[in-house]
């Protein structure tokens, strides 16, 4: 009886196998005409994101739906391969593309539920599923998937298939492939991953959008440990390795960028510009965009901004930190104060968005991830405070300590922007348990710090060709991607005065001409009431030469000068610096910089001041390469002759016909006055005055460290120190610095362009001047030095001590 039953079963199995083979074979010929070519897999892998570089080849941005970094099979660590095999397909090297038991299980679940529940898929099936077929859960698609898996296995080796899989699989957070995931989650390359980290990456393979280390760290932890257990059972790792890896905490990278140079603001501008010109296909066509940014100068700008904003911030005291005592369960603080970090890995009663109870570490991690500026700081939560030391939980989830240091005397409690509390004597005066704090690392040691509320904008342009060399739109892109270089329009203040004076020199005024600096009341129909302007020093200088008035930034002289020239005619001249006439104040306040302009517009104007003979629109992209490395765009000056042989007739993947004359990627709307340059003799007079302005008074003390006399510039401070400016230039580099707040609140009564913006420029120029030639400024032809009497401001033949040399246009002295 038993033997008969066995024979019957064997016969049925044989019939079933033959029937299955017949079905599979017949189905293959039935569906073959509808199956995509298997070589499409390789083509799809060639989808490469848009990459943005500095001019000297430093990667500053990468954009694309598929962030992918291809790694060869031999370079993929064994632990990482084995983690995916254990998680997804431990029989991968034995089967021929499909696993019958898995398919039978999937078929049974489908019959039971009426729909496809699980794929029963091998790694080979996942490869063809993800790149050749739709995601619809249909039986026909599943059959096609099986056939294509067979075909893939016949044309590619197991190593090639596994390499393809590991390089293309989506692992959450826009990371495609294991190298991108390692970089995203741990800021590492795959050859630096620990065993536990390899398993954690593999844990995202099934449901990457829902289960990944960032979105659902607790579920990822459970899945990771299951994978580690499978690796142990399959013999991939030993027991000791398993136990150590299972207890390893999840420590994710807090870095918001993996790029060695922070150029995120300009990279974002480049991204938008490429989409506007070529469409969304730029996300996958493997273009390499080389901006005009100089990596050395960009780094110097970033360092200078950080240094000076933090110095400014510390001058204005300590702001009370956010306190998390009522947001994190008390038991966490109790256990951590007893040095028990195991509490972090216990399950809380707080549920995540998927309805799963979270680990305490997941709750705390959320607070760190939502904190500002953690790409430059270490985050911490204060656990215990004593007068001379603080115990805190760092964002790497370790208990660490701070010792009191006299440098914390800067941390006087901020009462308001101009008033501070007493000097602190210990930590009790600064922090309390539960505070979310920031720490900075100096020479390997952590110190208490805070994030400045003030913001910055910084841009440098080469006046000779218009290339943008530095671009920083704010203190930190992660904190705020609002671009203050191009999108913020603060009042220009006194940094606008040089353009008023240039207008005067163009209209027949001389630098030696005198205007009486005395109190005056203006009645202007454009003003609501009488206007009694004052100088920022509160005193009046009497009759004063225009040169001296600009050096001293005398308000009343600028106003009287504008009134004499006429507002309308002056506005017309100012448009030659790129300022829109409609945005220039229609009253005498124009002389004091009451109009609002972006730092980008201001640096363009100063670039024209530096090079008025051949002004340029600032541009930010030098060249674009396709995936083969061919140049498909090259910036060319509009005055240069373009060789049609070098032009690109068409880009097949853009499906766009490109003309020989390709428009440059300029930062601002093009100026209409480029064909009407300002007389270089006129601008040289203003330049010479601004050079003198840096060599005198408080400016000289700061600028003197540069030991150069081929630079010039002007500070600016608006009412109540809402905005501070400095624009400085060498003939080959013009830079504008703006420091202020996004809500346009005061920076403090004792803050000026000379106290914040100028020091930022000076620190930057310490680096920039190393590459800039030390030039002797020569006056243009048709401009001469003439003896002038200091008292009268008129040319003289005398040679007394009361005589000095002043610049005059030939024929006007």
């Amino acid at each position: 009886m038993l033997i008969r039953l066995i024979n019957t079963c064997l016969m049925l199995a044989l019939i079933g196998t033959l029937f299955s083979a017949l079905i599979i074979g017949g189905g293959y010929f039935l569906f073959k005409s509808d199956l995509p070519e298997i070589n499409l897999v390789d083509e799809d892998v060639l989808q490469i994101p848009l990459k943005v570089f500095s001019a000297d080849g430093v990667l500053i941005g990468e954009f694309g739906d598929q962030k992918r970094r291809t790694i060869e099979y031999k370079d993929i660590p064994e632990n990482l391969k084995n983690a995916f095999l254990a998680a997804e397909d431990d029989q991968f090297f034995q089967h021929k593309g499909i696993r019958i038991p898995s398919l039978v299980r999937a078929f049974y679940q489908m019959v039971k539920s009426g729909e496809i529940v699980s794929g029963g898929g091998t790694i080979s099936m996942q490869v063809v599923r993800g790149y050749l077929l739709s995601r619809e859960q249909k039986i026909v698609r599943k059959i096609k998937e099986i056939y294509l898996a067979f075909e893939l296995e016949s044309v590619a080796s197991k190593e090639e298939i596994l390499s393809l899989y590991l390089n293309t699989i989506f692992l959450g957070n826009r990371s495609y492939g294991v190298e991108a995931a390692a970089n995203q989650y741990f800021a590492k390359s795959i050859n630096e991953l620990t065993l536990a980290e390899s398993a954690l990456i593999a844990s995202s393979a099934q449901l990457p959008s829902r289960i990944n280390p960032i979105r659902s760290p607790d579920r990822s932890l459970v899945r990771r440990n299951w994978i580690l257990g499978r690796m142990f059972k399959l013999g991939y790792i030993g027991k000791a390795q398993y136990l150590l890896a299972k207890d390893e905490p999840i420590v994710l990278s807090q870095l918001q960028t993996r790029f060695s140079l922070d150029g995120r603001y300009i990279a974002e501008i480049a991204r938008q510009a490429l989409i506007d010109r070529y469409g969304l296909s730029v996300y996958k066509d493997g273009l390499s965009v080389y901006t005009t940014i100089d990596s050395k100068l960009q780094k110097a700008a970033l360092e200078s901004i950080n240094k000076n904003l933090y110095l400014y911030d510390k001058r204005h005291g300590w702001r009370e930190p956010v306190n998390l005592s009522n947001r994190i369960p008390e038991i966490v603080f109790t256990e951590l104060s007893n040095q028990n970090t195991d509490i972090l890995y216990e399950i809380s009663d707080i549920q995540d968005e998927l309805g799963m109870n979270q680990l305490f570490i997941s709750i705390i991690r959320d607070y760190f991830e939502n904190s500002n500026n953690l790409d430059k700081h270490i985050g911490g939560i204060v656990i215990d405070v004593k007068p001379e030391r603080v115990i805190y939980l760092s964002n790497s989830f370790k208990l660490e300590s701070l010792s009191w240091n006299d440098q914390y005397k800067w941390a006087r409690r901020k009462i308001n922007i101009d008033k501070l509390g007493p000097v602190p004597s210990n930590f009790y005066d600064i922090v309390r348990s539960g505070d979310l704090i920031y720490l900075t690392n100096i020479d390997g040691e952590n110190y208490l710090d805070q994030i400045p509320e003030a913001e910055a904008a910084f841009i440098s342009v080469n006046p000779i060709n218009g290339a943008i060399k530095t671009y920083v739109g704010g203190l930190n892109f992660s904190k705020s991607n609002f671009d203050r270089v191009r999108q913020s329009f603060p009042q220009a203040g006194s940094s606008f005065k040089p353009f008023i004076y240039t207008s005067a020199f163009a209209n027949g005024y001389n630098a030696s001409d005198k205007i009486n600096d005395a109190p005056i009341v203006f009645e202007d129909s454009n003003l609501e009431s009488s206007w009694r302007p004052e100088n920022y020093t509160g005193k009046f200088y009497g009759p004063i030469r225009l040169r001296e008035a600009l050096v001293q930034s005398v308000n009343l002289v600028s106003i009287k000068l504008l009134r004499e020239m006429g507002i309308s005619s002056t506005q017309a001249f100012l448009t030659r610096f790129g300022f829109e006439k409609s945005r220039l104040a229609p009253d005498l306040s124009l002389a004091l910089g009451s109009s609002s302009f972006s730092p980008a517009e201001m640096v363009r104007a100063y670039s024209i001041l530096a090079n008025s003979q051949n002004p340029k629109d600032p541009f930010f992209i030098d060249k674009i390469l396709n995936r083969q490395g061919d140049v498909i765009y090259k910036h060319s000056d509009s005055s240069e002759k373009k060789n049609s042989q070098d032009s690109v007739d068409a880009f097949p993947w853009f499906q766009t016909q490109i003309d020989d004359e390709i428009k440059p990627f300029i930062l601002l709307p093009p100026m209409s006055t480029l064909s009407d340059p300002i007389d270089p003799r006129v601008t040289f007079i203003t330049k010479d005055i601004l050079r003198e302005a840096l060599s005198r008074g408080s400016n000289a003390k700061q600028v003197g460290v540069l030991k150069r006399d081929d630079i010039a510039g002007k500070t600016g401070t608006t009412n109540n120190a809402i905005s501070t400016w400095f624009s400085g230039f060498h003939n080959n580099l013009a830079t504008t610095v703006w420091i202020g707040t996004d809500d346009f609140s005061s920076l403090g009564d004792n803050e000026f362009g000379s106290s914040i913006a100028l020091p930022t420029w000076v620190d930057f120029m310490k680096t920039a001047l190393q590459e800039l030639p030390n030039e002797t400024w020569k006056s243009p032809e048709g401009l001469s030095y003439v003896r002038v009497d200091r008292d009268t401001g008129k040319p003289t033949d005398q040679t007394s001590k009361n005589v000095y040399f002043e610049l005059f246009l030939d024929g006007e002295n």
Side-chain angles (χ1 to χ4, degrees):
M1 185 68 180
L2 179 61
I3 294 175
R4 183 180 297 174
L5 179 62
I6 292 174
N7 289 334
T8 301
C9 290
L10 289 173
M11 182 61 68
L12 290 173
L14 178 60
I15 293 172
T17 301
L18 292 173
F19 182 74
S20 298
L22 182 62
I23 292 296
I24 291 173
Y28 178 75
F29 288 104
L30 178 65
F31 289 109
K32 182 173 178 57
S33 61
D34 294 330
L35 294 178
E37 293 293 330
I38 200 68
N39 58 16
L40 288 179
V41 174
D42 293 331
E43 292 180 8
D44 199 276
V45 172
L46 291 177
Q47 291 187 18
I48 304 172
L50 171 68
K51 294 183 179 181
V52 183
F53 297 88
S54 66
D56 46 344
V58 179
L59 184 66
I60 59 175
E62 183 174 288
F63 304 96
D65 295 328
Q66 302 182 7
K67 290 190 175 179
R68 185 178 293 148
R69 297 175 183 272
T70 302
I71 306 296
E72 293 185 15
Y73 180 82
K74 63 182 177 61
D75 296 324
I76 302 174
E78 289 300 315
N79 278 337
L80 190 58
K81 296 174 188 173
N82 290 335
F84 278 90
L85 292 174
E88 299 298 313
D89 188 358
D90 58 62
Q91 297 296 311
F92 172 72
F93 283 97
Q94 285 74 48
H95 63 64
K96 297 299 182 181
I98 64 170
R99 294 181 65 187
I100 298 299
S102 298
L103 289 175
V104 170
R105 182 178 65 252
F107 180 75
Y108 171 75
Q109 292 174 339
M110 179 191 70
V111 172
K112 186 177 180 180
S113 64
E115 60 182 8
I116 295 178
V117 177
S118 64
T122 62
I123 284 177
S124 300
M125 293 172 67
Q126 290 185 51
V127 169
V128 297
R129 178 194 311 157
Y131 297 94
L132 299 177
L133 301 169
S134 70
R135 297 269 177 190
E136 295 177 299
Q137 296 283 52
K138 293 182 177 179
I139 296 177
V140 172
R141 194 221 67 187
K142 177 59 66 176
I143 295 173
K144 289 182 179 180
E145 188 179 303
I146 294 171
Y147 294 145
L148 283 173
F150 277 131
E151 189 169 345
L152 177 62
E153 293 261 354
S154 69
V155 298
S157 68
K158 287 288 188 180
E159 289 76 12
E160 290 172 331
I161 295 171
L162 184 56
S163 176
L164 179 62
Y165 173 74
L166 294 177
N167 275 300
T168 57
I169 183 174
F170 177 50
L171 294 166
N173 293 287
R174 298 177 66 207
S175 297
Y176 283 76
V178 291
E179 177 69 6
N183 206 282
Q184 173 70 30
Y185 296 126
F186 305 111
K188 295 180 179 181
S189 179
I190 55 173
N191 57 11
E192 300 173 297
L193 294 174
T194 66
L195 171 60
E197 290 168 344
S198 295
L200 187 66
I201 288 177
S203 72
S204 299
Q206 283 195 352
L207 296 170
S209 296
R210 293 170 54 195
I211 299 180
N212 65 67
I214 291 178
R215 179 169 181 177
S216 186
D218 48 349
R219 296 185 68 181
S220 294
L221 180 68
V222 173
R223 177 73 177 169
R224 181 202 74 175
N225 289 347
W226 177 85
I227 292 173
L228 289 169
R230 288 275 300 158
M231 294 177 73
F232 171 54
K233 291 178 181 178
L234 292 168
Y236 296 150
I237 58 175
K239 186 173 183 180
Q241 289 177 292
Y242 164 64
L243 293 175
L244 287 172
K246 184 172 67 70
D247 291 335
E248 183 177 307
I250 296 177
V251 182
L252 299 181
S253 168
Q254 299 298 321
L255 294 176
Q256 297 300 309
T257 176
R258 64 173 176 275
F259 309 115
S260 58
L261 177 69
D262 189 352
R264 288 174 286 179
Y265 284 101
I266 195 69
E268 174 60 19
I269 292 174
R271 180 191 72 84
Q272 294 175 12
L274 265 290
I275 292 174
D276 288 344
R277 182 166 296 191
Y278 302 130
L280 293 175
S281 62
V282 298
Y283 281 139
K284 63 181 180 180
D285 285 316
L287 299 186
S288 294
V289 179
Y290 286 81
T291 66
T292 56
I293 296 298
D294 182 306
S295 63
K296 184 178 180 181
L297 296 184
Q298 179 76 1
K299 182 180 179 182
L302 291 163
E303 290 175 349
S304 180
I305 289 170
N306 273 277
K307 171 187 172 182
N308 288 282
L309 272 189
Y310 280 90
L311 286 174
Y312 160 78
D313 189 68
K314 286 178 171 57
R315 291 199 294 269
H316 293 274
W318 175 258
R319 301 183 301 277
E320 186 174 349
V322 172
N323 191 271
L324 303 176
S325 295
N326 295 327
R327 307 182 199 180
I328 298 175
E330 184 178 353
I331 188 174
V332 174
F333 290 101
T334 301
E335 294 299 318
L336 289 177
S337 64
N338 292 325
Q339 304 293 307
N340 178 23
T341 55
D342 291 341
I343 185 66
L344 297 174
Y345 303 96
E346 294 185 10
I347 298 176
S348 72
D349 294 331
I350 301 174
Q351 294 185 335
D352 64 11
E353 59 183 0
L354 300 177
M356 294 184 64
N357 287 359
Q358 298 185 80
L359 299 177
F360 286 120
I361 192 173
S362 301
I363 300 169
I364 295 172
R365 183 183 289 110
D366 287 342
Y367 289 115
F368 284 138
E369 289 177 353
N370 292 329
S371 300
N372 292 327
N373 227 46
L374 279 187
D375 48 355
K376 290 185 174 65
H377 283 75
I378 299 164
I381 297 175
V382 175
I383 303 302
D384 186 56
V385 183
K386 293 291 187 292
E388 300 299 321
R389 69 105 180 97
V390 165
I391 302 295
Y392 66 94
L393 180 72
S394 72
N395 58 312
S396 59
F397 304 104
K398 297 178 181 179
L399 288 174
E400 301 187 33
S401 65
L402 284 176
S403 297
W404 178 256
N405 188 298
D406 282 344
Q407 72 153 282
Y408 294 137
K409 290 183 177 180
W410 69 265
R412 300 167 63 186
R413 184 171 63 87
K414 179 180 177 180
I415 298 172
N416 59 50
I417 193 65
D418 295 311
K419 185 176 182 181
L420 305 178
V423 174
S425 57
N426 56 56
F427 279 123
Y428 281 157
D429 296 331
I430 303 177
V431 295
R432 57 196 176 101
S433 178
D435 279 351
L436 177 61
I437 58 174
Y438 297 94
L439 304 107
T440 186
N441 189 278
I442 302 175
D443 297 328
E445 188 170 350
N446 292 335
Y447 292 90
L448 193 64
D449 204 357
Q450 67 182 7
I451 310 302
E453 291 182 321
E455 275 292 353
F458 193 110
I459 179 172
S460 302
V461 173
N462 182 342
I464 305 300
N465 59 18
I468 296 171
K469 311 306 290 184
T470 70
Y471 196 102
V472 184
L475 177 64
N476 188 281
F477 188 87
S478 301
K479 176 184 175 184
S480 168
N481 59 14
F482 176 64
D483 182 358
R484 295 159 190 83
V485 169
R486 194 174 57 161
Q487 297 174 322
S488 182
F489 298 89
Q491 286 186 328
S494 294
S495 64
F496 191 77
K497 289 177 181 175
F499 309 113
I500 299 292
Y501 280 77
T502 305
S503 179
F505 300 143
N507 282 278
Y509 286 82
N510 296 311
S512 63
D513 289 347
K514 287 193 169 186
I515 289 183
N516 189 21
D517 177 38
I520 192 170
V521 178
F522 290 102
E523 301 289 345
D524 192 324
S525 60
N526 290 308
L527 301 175
E528 294 181 359
S529 60
S530 298
W531 184 32
R532 295 175 174 81
E534 296 181 350
N535 296 319
Y536 80 95
T537 59
K539 63 180 181 179
F540 300 95
Y541 297 89
I544 186 172
R545 290 173 289 119
L546 293 186
R547 172 178 287 272
E548 187 67 17
L550 181 53
V551 169
Q552 298 291 347
S553 196
V554 179
N555 287 341
L556 285 171
V557 172
S558 300
I559 296 168
K560 290 181 177 180
L561 191 60
L562 175 60
R563 184 178 63 170
E564 290 181 12
M565 292 189 295
I567 294 173
S568 181
S569 60
T570 303
Q571 287 177 324
F573 181 84
L574 292 173
T575 62
R576 297 166 76 178
F577 285 105
F579 300 119
E580 294 180 21
K581 187 173 183 179
S582 62
R583 292 169 51 205
L584 292 165
D587 52 55
L588 292 174
S589 69
L590 174 66
L592 304 185
S594 64
S595 301
S596 298
F597 297 103
S598 69
E601 292 171 309
M602 291 298 290
V603 80
R604 179 174 64 183
Y606 272 90
S607 294
I608 295 172
L609 194 62
N611 176 29
S612 64
Q613 196 165 5
N614 190 20
K616 304 293 182 181
D617 279 310
F619 72 98
F620 56 91
I621 291 180
D622 178 55
K623 63 182 177 181
I624 302 173
L625 277 58
N626 64 17
R627 68 176 71 189
Q628 286 81 28
D630 301 323
V631 177
I632 63 171
Y633 167 86
K634 184 73 175 72
H635 178 81
S636 181
D637 188 271
S638 58
S639 63
E640 297 177 2
K641 293 182 179 179
K642 297 185 176 66
N643 187 339
S644 61
Q645 296 298 320
D646 296 332
S647 66
V648 179
D649 293 328
F651 302 110
W653 53 93
F654 293 141
Q655 296 182 351
T656 302
Q657 194 73 23
I658 305 298
D659 294 331
D660 288 343
E661 298 288 331
I662 299 179
K663 294 181 180 179
F665 290 89
I666 57 177
L667 185 68
L668 299 167
M671 293 187 296
S672 60
T673 56
L674 291 180
S675 60
D676 185 22
I678 303 170
D679 188 338
R681 298 177 302 168
V682 169
T683 55
F684 187 86
I685 297 173
T686 304
K687 287 169 58 177
D688 190 67
I689 296 173
L690 296 182
R691 177 170 58 174
E692 181 179 345
L694 291 189
S695 67
R696 293 170 51 184
S698 61
N699 288 347
K701 295 179 182 178
Q702 299 187 67
V703 179
V705 299
L706 299 177
K707 299 179 180 179
R708 295 284 286 263
D709 60 0
D710 56 345
I711 51 178
K714 182 71 179 74
T715 59
T717 308
T718 61
N719 290 341
N720 301 316
I722 289 174
S723 287
T724 63
W725 296 81
F726 183 80
S727 289
F729 58 91
H730 177 279
N731 282 334
N732 296 338
L733 190 71
T735 300
T736 289
V737 183
W738 170 85
I739 307 290
T741 61
D742 287 340
D743 62 1
F744 295 111
S745 57
S746 174
L747 292 172
D749 286 345
N750 295 315
E751 299 292 354
F752 307 95
S754 58
S755 67
I756 313 176
L758 173 58
T760 304
W761 180 79
V762 169
D763 285 336
F764 165 73
M765 292 298 285
K766 291 175 183 176
T767 297
L769 286 173
Q770 295 173 10
E771 306 296 331
L772 296 176
N774 196 336
E775 300 177 332
T776 300
W777 283 10
K778 297 180 180 179
S779 59
E781 186 176 346
L783 187 66
S784 304
Y785 286 95
V786 176
R787 287 190 180 93
V788 172
D789 184 281
R790 291 183 185 276
D791 293 333
T792 65
K794 302 297 182 182
T796 180
D797 293 330
Q798 300 296 319
T799 58
S800 66
K801 293 182 180 180
N802 201 41
V803 171
Y804 79 102
F805 283 93
E806 183 57 88
L807 289 165
F808 278 78
L809 274 67
D810 289 355
E812 295 189 10
N813 53 325

